[in-house]
Amino acid sequence: MQRDETKYGGGHEDGLEPLSPLDPGALTSVDALVRAMKDTAFGGRRLGEAADVLEAMVLDPDCFRVVTISGAMTIAKQGLVLCEMIERGWVQAVVTTGALMTHGLSEGAGLLHFKHRPQMRDEELYRKGYNRVYDTIELEKNLDDVEHLLQAALADLTDEDVLCSRVICHKLGHLLDQEASRRAILKSAYRKQVPVYVPAFTDSELGLDVSIYNRARSMKGRRRLPFDPFLDLEDFTDRIRQHETLGIFTIGGGVPRNWAQQVGPYLEISHARLGTDEPVRRYKYAVRICPEPEHWGGLSGCSYTEGVSWGKFVPVSEGGRHAEVFADATIAWPLIVRAVMERMR
């Protein structure tokens, strides 16, 4: 097979979009930079496309928007990015990890995180009560203070109460709203009545604190309060049922990401196996920031096209809008959010 030079395409006639050189001297805002990146290539283009999908998601008045976050984003000082999204009404539900909420409580209570000094060996860090998260330090003393916050937040519970992560996060948010002067994720969520779910709650310092709380009750002859994670699942599902249009904004992967995404299949198998009259629910808008590639075969690398096969997302061919950015979220997330903030002015 040989090429016919007389039939070479020029790009435009086949609907190809031309690229443009990035001219930093001509840009006057973060939004201008992100828009220009969309007309480049590789990760820059993906980041620009992600901002467009987030903008469309935020501007859709019928869209129920879910944010899922894993990784050490609060100890990495990204908590106010999520606060901004919540306070602007961009978020109707948050699904995250207990570790994220624990470190966020430290920050919200006015406690400090520190840069790790590589000259300090991990054995020395342990002796001094310095817990290392990559290049950052969480003080053991901070975690002791967080436990005191939890004890205060749960003080009014009765022996008849049943716990779930949403209830615990709501109570912590209420406490921060009353006592903390600075912004915090759970405080913003409480004020905006945005539920926060932690599906793998026991996998965190906060989960251990609740267990200690229950053991202390038992030692005093009081009933341990049961923890029922299915209360979270049903509460989240009830909210999803009420909205035909869904959007999801994901940092990282893991349990938070898949727990939020499985709601569509949950409704589908409930209808098939139980005969319940359930609506079809798929995420129409989807933005993911995660450096993990697909070929490792893990959940965090699962693409949105793969998720279509599970009935979790509306296919692009049916109007779905998906964007995946393979980058460190501490770089990409603030840029995307700031760009869309500027568009909302």
Side-chain angles (χ1 to χ4, degrees):
M1 182 177 180
Q2 293 183 330
R3 287 179 172 175
D4 182 350
E5 296 182 10
T6 64
K7 296 182 179 179
Y8 279 178
H12 292 286
E13 68 270 25
D14 289 307
L16 302 183
E17 299 180 35
L19 302 181
S20 299
L22 185 68
D23 183 359
L27 305 174
T28 58
S29 67
V30 173
D31 182 34
L33 172 63
V34 171
R35 288 182 187 273
M37 291 168 73
K38 191 181 71 170
D39 291 328
T40 62
F42 314 139
R45 186 193 302 171
R46 287 177 175 268
L47 189 144
E49 292 170 346
D52 284 355
V53 176
L54 176 59
E55 180 188 17
M57 193 189 309
V58 168
L59 290 176
D60 189 334
D62 299 321
C63 184
F64 183 86
R65 296 171 287 271
V66 181
V67 171
T68 80
I69 311 177
S70 62
M73 290 295 102
T74 44
I75 201 170
K77 299 297 144 188
Q78 306 300 303
L80 294 185
V81 182
L82 180 55
C83 285
E84 195 71 41
M85 296 177 74
I86 293 172
E87 291 162 10
R88 288 174 175 268
W90 295 3
V91 183
Q92 282 72 57
V94 174
V95 186
T96 185
T97 66
L100 254 157
M101 293 300 97
T102 302
H103 301 311
L105 275 172
S106 292
E107 182 180 278
L111 306 175
L112 297 177
H113 298 123
F114 295 86
K115 295 180 182 179
H116 168 53
R117 194 155 49 84
Q119 292 81 0
M120 296 183 72
R121 295 172 58 86
D122 288 300
E123 298 89 332
E124 180 183 1
L125 299 180
Y126 172 75
R127 288 194 299 270
K128 293 185 174 181
Y130 295 166
N131 300 299
R132 183 167 70 87
V133 181
Y134 183 46
D135 61 357
T136 305
I137 299 295
E138 173 75 89
L139 305 182
E140 186 66 24
K141 183 180 183 304
N142 288 356
L143 300 180
D144 290 341
D145 291 340
V146 165
E147 182 184 8
H148 296 321
L149 288 175
L150 179 73
Q151 296 280 351
L154 303 184
D156 64 345
L157 291 175
T158 70
D159 287 352
E160 285 69 44
D161 285 312
V162 177
L163 298 176
C164 63
S165 70
R166 179 184 60 83
V167 167
I168 294 171
C169 289
H170 181 79
K171 286 187 169 293
L172 285 166
H174 177 58
L175 180 70
L176 290 173
D177 187 49
Q178 290 182 318
E179 300 186 5
S181 59
R182 61 182 61 207
R183 297 162 80 192
I185 293 171
L186 292 179
K187 179 179 177 179
S188 297
Y190 173 80
R191 287 189 169 184
K192 288 291 187 177
Q193 295 300 292
V194 172
V196 177
Y197 306 96
V198 182
F201 188 79
T202 56
D203 181 27
S204 67
E205 182 82 20
L206 200 57
L208 300 183
D209 290 343
V210 171
S211 185
I212 293 294
Y213 166 83
N214 256 334
R215 291 180 68 184
R217 288 176 60 94
S218 181
M219 290 171 68
K220 295 175 183 177
R222 299 185 65 188
R223 172 178 176 265
R224 286 175 178 251
L225 298 184
F227 184 96
D228 186 352
F230 291 102
L231 295 177
D232 287 326
L233 177 61
E234 293 302 337
D235 183 85
F236 181 69
T237 304
D238 284 343
R239 296 171 193 266
I240 293 296
R241 282 189 182 99
Q242 298 171 31
H243 300 272
E244 293 185 7
T245 305
L246 306 177
I248 189 168
F249 186 98
T250 290
I251 304 296
V255 173
R257 174 186 173 181
N258 194 65
W259 189 88
Q261 291 178 177
Q262 70 180 357
V263 66
Y266 180 48
L267 291 171
E268 185 177 326
I269 63 177
S270 294
H271 172 72
R273 299 176 188 176
L274 302 176
T276 55
D277 185 16
E278 300 285 8
V280 174
R281 293 291 182 262
R282 308 280 187 268
Y283 288 102
K284 175 181 179 180
Y285 305 100
V287 175
R288 176 171 72 104
I289 304 172
C290 180
E292 187 170 331
E294 293 180 54
H295 62 261
W296 286 355
L299 172 64
S300 298
C302 168
S303 66
Y304 284 140
T305 54
E306 182 179 318
V308 168
S309 75
W310 286 85
K312 298 175 180 178
F313 299 94
V314 176
V316 173
S317 61
E318 297 178 15
R321 294 193 62 179
H322 312 154
E324 298 173 275
V325 184
F326 297 97
D328 182 337
T330 62
I331 300 170
W333 188 16
L335 287 172
I336 292 170
V337 169
R338 179 63 192 185
V340 177
M341 285 171 58
E342 292 176 6
R343 298 177 192 186
M344 298 294 109
R345 288 176 179 171

